[in-house]
Amino acid sequence: MKDFCIISRRGLLSAGISAGGGLLIAASFGGGVLATTALQDQTEPRGETFRPNAYVEIGTDNQIVLTIGKSEMGQGILTGIAQLISDELGCRWEDVRFIQAPAAPEFGFPFNGFMITGGSTSLQTEWQRMREMGATARVMLVQAAANLWGVDASALVVKHGVISHAGGQRATFGELAANAALLPISETPALKPAAERQIIGTSKQRLDTAEKITGQACYGIDVDLPNLLTAVVISPPQLMAPVVSFDGARALERSGVQAVVGISTGVAIVGDHYWAVQSARDDVDIVWGESPFNGIGMDELRAGYQNALLEPGKIAQSIGDTKALEDTVTITREIEQPYLAHACMEPMNFTVSIGDGVAEVWGPTQAQSFVQNTVGQIAGIDPKNVTVHTTFLGGGFGRRSAQDFVAAAAEIALAVARPVKLVYSREDDMQAGYYRPLTLTRATATLDQAGDLAALNVKIAAPSVSKWAGLMFLIREDGVDEQAVEGLVDLPYAIPNANVAWVDHDPGIPVHFWRAVGASHNPFVVETLLDDLARMVGRDPIEFRRRMLVDNPRYLAVLDRLAEVSDWANPAPAGVGRGMAIVGSFESIVAEAVSLRLLDIEVRIDTVDCVIDCGVAVNPAQIEAQMHSSIVFGLSAFLRGNITIDDGTIEQSNFHDYEPLRMHEMPEISVSILQGEDRPGGVGEPG
């Protein structure tokens, strides 16, 4: 295996661009273009005094190298961002390559420099900036050609990496790159009109496919370094129980075991390879203290949630007057939704090397800025001196923005003074990790005399995921966690009276962002309640919703397409049930219709028809793939997902008792994409 399992930026530049000059375009995290540098027979850009947000690097061999700061966890973001840049640049897709950016503010969000991949925000936040980067490079290349040929720049045509003039002159990007690098930068380049886009909106092949299917892709679990040790952590059998004492003498007698050390969350075994340390788990004698969850099970947790609903809570949204309609309540539903694990296919892992005042880390993370802060705090160094190499992620779903596995790896590396790769087993991840929170929601709906929804009163008891994640900016000034009420407030439906309250009920079980966060559970409450109301008044569920969406044409268009593609107007066959829902989240709208059968006591989903409006559809094939991914993830969670607690212990441990849908159980899925014209919405979570 190649050391580090990382292709460094220096190595790529040396291999691909240094043989004769080139053009480098960089953008600052403030959004403007910073500098341009000729690459003249050197492995690093001459005069580079900044760390760019994203690079356009054009070699004399016509290779386009893009440095991208988002984490690739299967969602295709490296390809999506590359499409934004490449379309404006006007290059050939076959010439595009990418490298993963280092951790630095310039690679973070354009508004604050914070480097994280999540919330289905990547294409939304980079839509303008990345296109401007490509356009800037194109404008400079065109001007270089115009200067060279003595013609007006407006008379030149850019297509597939070639600039040409009606007089017969023709040059490739590579031939013009060195001259273009000497020109002043156009800081406000004109962007192409939508009608001229050739890469945005097309199903381009993913840039990471080849190395993944050939096994060359580097995931965190693949990282190898000189002098590297491997570690596992023994976590407490009951949640958060402290270590009183431990004895690792027997484990140290095993071949390949180098150390047994205590860390803040348990005891780590460190050795030459995974099998050595994993096999030594039972040889470490540990005395555990009392867990704060001793004697706590699901009954106790549920009682706490029921009591929480008796509290008034914080008002998240209030429209009209729901109290005036309390005497005419039509229906009340109380819905509990369980703890869920992220269950990424690649278990949590991270590699840390700590030196004198510096640290270098490798691994699958969604939050490079978090990693720098975590490792810096543990090692006692400036976070800016923590170099982060981001590998591919074997699934993320929010789990890899948590810092438990990063912190543990840093503590172990500090204790043994060697580079350490920490690897969680599946059981470690399932039983000592972070979960989507347990929630309890009570919703009351009132119908008017015409059978339309007149009032909706919702109260949810749930912990604050934002507090657990340390993202306090997601807490509103009135104290409401936006993630807790996501999908309950600002509904698209015309409801004259609505009240949403949140009770910040935190039993202390570790929770974290889980794919779609509040929108993964709150819309279920609203949409099932609407179905119940539709049945009560004898209306079709799509028609019931359509009446409340008359002033919302974008939602209506999605709803109408769903009715069309699902053949909703025709009755379902005997023995087949149907249902639908429509939800807006992350600036996208998704509607789905399912057909299902009841086999004995098991529900079998036969088909799922999906319609999405995500604004500009940058890569339709990837959007379809993400809808498939979301549907299997959501169905697995709904039909099977359940993390339960008994006497402070997580009962589930692996895929045998936290079971996803199997291939033979998957429904037939159809996806229809409505192409928008403004900008992209989220795709990874709304489905």
Side-chain angles (χ1 to χ4, degrees):
M1 182 186 299
K2 182 174 180 178
D3 282 351
F4 309 123
C5 195
I6 296 290
I7 300 175
S8 71
R9 180 172 177 274
R10 177 185 292 272
L12 183 53
L13 284 168
S14 177
I17 304 181
S18 65
L23 171 65
L24 167 71
I25 301 293
S28 72
F29 74 87
V33 177
L34 284 182
T36 174
T37 306
L39 309 182
Q40 297 175 340
D41 295 313
Q42 53 193 354
T43 57
E44 288 286 308
R46 174 169 56 85
E48 182 182 7
T49 58
F50 56 91
R51 305 184 77 179
N53 171 273
Y55 292 97
V56 177
E57 298 175 2
I58 302 175
T60 55
D61 57 358
N62 290 312
Q63 289 295 299
I64 313 296
V65 181
L66 307 179
T67 304
I68 298 176
K70 294 299 181 181
S71 300
E72 178 58 69
M73 60 193 94
Q75 83 280 37
I77 194 57
L78 294 178
T79 302
I81 288 182
Q83 286 184 254
L84 303 186
I85 301 171
S86 301
D87 198 299
E88 285 293 339
L89 180 57
C91 63
R92 294 196 321 152
W93 185 248
E94 294 78 8
D95 293 336
V96 175
R97 302 158 70 190
F98 72 88
I99 50 177
Q100 187 75 51
E106 291 83 359
F107 290 98
F109 287 124
F111 46 86
N112 64 7
F114 193 78
M115 194 170 177
I116 189 169
T117 306
S120 296
T121 58
S122 295
L123 287 181
Q124 294 180 51
T125 57
E126 298 296 348
W127 169 246
Q128 183 73 13
R129 178 169 57 168
M130 294 300 105
R131 289 185 301 142
E132 288 178 353
M133 287 178 61
T136 297
R138 169 173 46 81
V139 168
M140 295 173 69
L141 289 163
V142 167
Q143 190 60 53
N147 293 347
L148 186 65
W149 300 330
V151 299
D152 191 277
S154 63
L156 299 181
V157 175
V158 181
K159 188 173 183 180
H160 302 320
V162 175
I163 298 176
S164 59
H165 184 263
Q169 298 95 325
R170 180 182 183 278
T172 66
F173 283 0
E175 291 168 336
L176 295 165
N179 287 341
L182 303 176
L183 298 175
I185 296 170
S186 171
E187 296 195 9
T188 55
L191 300 178
K192 292 180 179 179
E196 294 182 13
R197 293 173 188 157
Q198 295 182 325
I199 295 178
I200 294 173
T202 63
S203 296
K204 292 298 183 184
Q205 181 173 325
R206 285 179 54 152
L207 297 178
D208 55 340
T209 297
E211 56 186 306
K212 286 182 175 179
I213 63 175
T214 58
Q216 299 177 66
C218 178
Y219 291 86
I221 209 165
D222 298 323
V223 170
D224 197 10
L225 298 169
N227 206 30
L228 180 68
L229 295 175
T230 299
V232 298
V233 172
I234 305 174
S235 299
Q238 291 179 300
L239 286 167
M240 299 183 185
V243 175
V244 176
S245 64
F246 69 92
D247 183 353
R250 285 192 299 130
L252 289 169
E253 294 175 359
R254 281 185 176 266
S255 175
V257 175
Q258 300 292 340
V260 180
V261 298
I263 62 173
S264 59
T265 55
V267 177
I269 310 172
V270 192
D272 297 336
H273 51 81
Y274 181 76
W275 181 244
V277 293
Q278 179 72 359
S279 301
R281 282 178 178 268
D282 293 339
D283 294 328
V284 181
D285 299 315
I286 306 175
V287 176
W288 300 97
E290 184 172 346
S291 163
F293 298 98
N294 186 40
I296 301 297
M298 297 309 298
D299 289 343
E300 290 77 13
L301 290 170
R302 289 186 175 110
Y305 274 84
Q306 287 289 345
N307 290 333
L309 283 185
L310 300 176
E311 301 175 20
K314 299 180 185 297
I315 301 301
Q317 186 174 36
S318 182
I319 301 171
D321 183 9
T322 57
K323 291 184 178 181
L325 300 167
E326 284 181 350
D327 293 337
T328 56
V329 166
T330 304
I331 188 171
T332 296
R333 292 287 182 263
E334 195 168 280
I335 297 177
E336 175 192 304
Q337 299 191 65
Y339 289 112
L340 292 176
H342 301 77
C344 306
M345 286 304 296
E346 177 193 16
M348 300 302 106
N349 66 87
F350 219 72
T351 299
V352 176
S353 177
I354 298 174
D356 184 12
V358 297
E360 196 165 6
V361 303
W362 298 258
T365 178
Q366 293 179 241
Q368 291 81 357
S369 295
F370 274 4
V371 167
Q372 288 184 305
N373 291 334
T374 297
V375 176
Q377 183 176 12
I378 290 170
I381 61 179
D382 190 328
K384 294 179 181 177
N385 292 331
V386 179
T387 300
V388 181
H389 302 280
T390 305
T391 63
F392 284 121
L393 286 59
F397 317 126
R399 176 68 177 97
R400 296 190 199 273
S401 63
Q403 296 298 294
D404 55 309
F405 54 98
V406 177
E411 288 185 44
I412 300 166
L414 194 64
V416 301
R418 290 264 301 271
V420 168
K421 176 166 67 175
L422 170 64
V423 180
Y424 280 16
S425 69
R426 176 70 59 198
E427 289 77 10
D428 293 334
D429 193 18
M430 194 78 73
Q431 296 185 317
Y434 290 73
Y435 309 98
R436 190 188 81 170
L438 174 69
T439 64
L440 183 63
T441 308
R442 181 179 298 135
T444 299
T446 301
L447 294 172
D448 61 21
Q449 292 184 348
D452 294 322
L453 182 56
L456 180 65
N457 213 324
V458 182
K459 184 186 291 184
I460 178 173
S464 171
V465 174
S466 300
K467 290 180 184 177
W468 274 92
L471 297 181
M472 299 306 294
F473 66 87
L474 295 174
I475 307 293
R476 297 182 344 196
E477 290 185 3
D478 59 6
V480 174
D481 185 351
E482 294 179 350
Q483 309 300 300
V485 297
E486 185 177 36
L488 294 176
V489 300
D490 300 324
L491 296 174
Y493 302 113
I495 306 173
N497 305 282
N499 189 81
V500 178
W502 169 57
V503 180
D504 185 2
H505 178 66
D506 190 350
I509 308 296
V511 295
H512 200 68
F513 299 113
W514 188 97
R515 192 174 188 177
V517 202
S520 74
H521 53 81
N522 287 333
F524 177 79
V525 175
V526 174
E527 292 295 297
T528 52
L529 187 63
L530 293 182
D531 283 346
D532 287 343
L533 293 171
R535 278 192 295 272
M536 289 181 64
V537 296
R539 280 195 206 142
D540 174 83
I542 286 185
E543 182 57 34
F544 187 78
R545 288 167 172 81
R546 186 181 277 118
R547 287 166 66 104
M548 294 186 288
L549 293 171
V550 290
D551 296 323
N552 209 324
R554 191 178 169 204
Y555 277 81
L556 276 178
V558 174
L559 200 61
D560 290 343
R561 177 66 67 85
L562 181 70
E564 175 188 341
V565 299
S566 66
D567 197 23
W568 191 264
N570 292 318
V576 174
R578 294 197 302 185
M580 57 75 56
I582 182 169
V583 176
S585 61
F586 307 97
E587 298 192 21
S588 293
I589 304 166
V590 177
E592 294 174 12
V594 303
S595 62
L596 54 85
R597 292 170 293 137
L598 187 63
L599 304 178
D600 295 326
I601 60 172
E602 182 183 50
V603 172
R604 178 61 58 89
I605 311 291
D606 290 330
T607 64
V608 176
D609 294 298
C610 172
V611 178
I612 177 171
D613 174 355
C614 58
V616 176
V618 174
N619 189 319
Q622 190 55 34
I623 294 169
E624 182 175 359
Q626 282 295 288
M627 293 303 101
H628 280 252
S629 166
S630 297
I631 288 166
V632 65
F633 201 81
L635 288 177
S636 295
F638 180 70
L639 296 173
R640 305 263 176 82
N642 192 15
I643 291 291
T644 56
I645 299 169
D646 181 38
D647 191 20
T649 301
I650 303 296
E651 294 187 286
Q652 292 70 31
S653 63
N654 209 313
F655 287 131
H656 70 288
D657 53 9
Y658 191 85
E659 190 177 5
L661 253 62
R662 308 292 177 171
M663 289 184 70
H664 72 278
E665 298 171 312
M666 275 297 294
E668 181 180 335
I669 299 173
S670 72
V671 178
S672 180
I673 302 169
L674 300 184
Q675 180 68 264
E677 297 181 355
D678 184 14
R679 65 168 184 159
V683 172
E685 297 170 278

